[in-house]
Amino acid sequence: MACARVAACPLFKQFSMKSSLKVWQSYYCEGDFSRCERFKLASASAPVPKNLLPNGRVLELPLERLEAHHLE
């Protein structure tokens, strides 16, 4: 069963647009999403930084610029 927050997650769209990032989608969004740091924060009604990756790392580029860089 996939994560219920997939539709609202801005990273999910980025992952699905890039085949090399499908592993993230498969592992966190469609697999053990309870390990996703974004899911944990959202479930606790805490703010979720747009540039927070599921593994807890923070990207240096803001999400708005990620779309221009295609997460490369």
Side-chain angles (χ1 to χ4, degrees):
M1 183 172 170
C3 175
R5 300 186 185 280
V6 166
C9 182
L11 288 180
F12 182 80
K13 184 169 89 173
Q14 294 296 319
F15 292 162
S16 62
M17 292 172 61
K18 191 89 166 134
S19 62
S20 62
L21 297 176
K22 282 289 213 183
V23 69
W24 287 81
Q25 182 182 17
S26 176
Y27 183 76
Y28 287 104
C29 305
E30 298 165 351
D32 189 5
F33 56 86
S34 65
R35 298 181 75 178
C36 176
E37 294 301 320
R38 299 179 60 81
F39 174 81
K40 291 176 189 177
L41 288 174
S43 295
S45 298
V48 181
K50 290 183 177 183
N51 58 343
L52 177 68
L53 291 173
N55 66 357
R57 290 188 176 197
V58 178
L59 293 172
E60 293 184 27
L61 290 174
L63 186 60
E64 298 81 47
R65 291 186 54 205
L66 290 178
E67 291 178 4
H69 289 83
H70 303 290
L71 286 175
E72 293 179 312

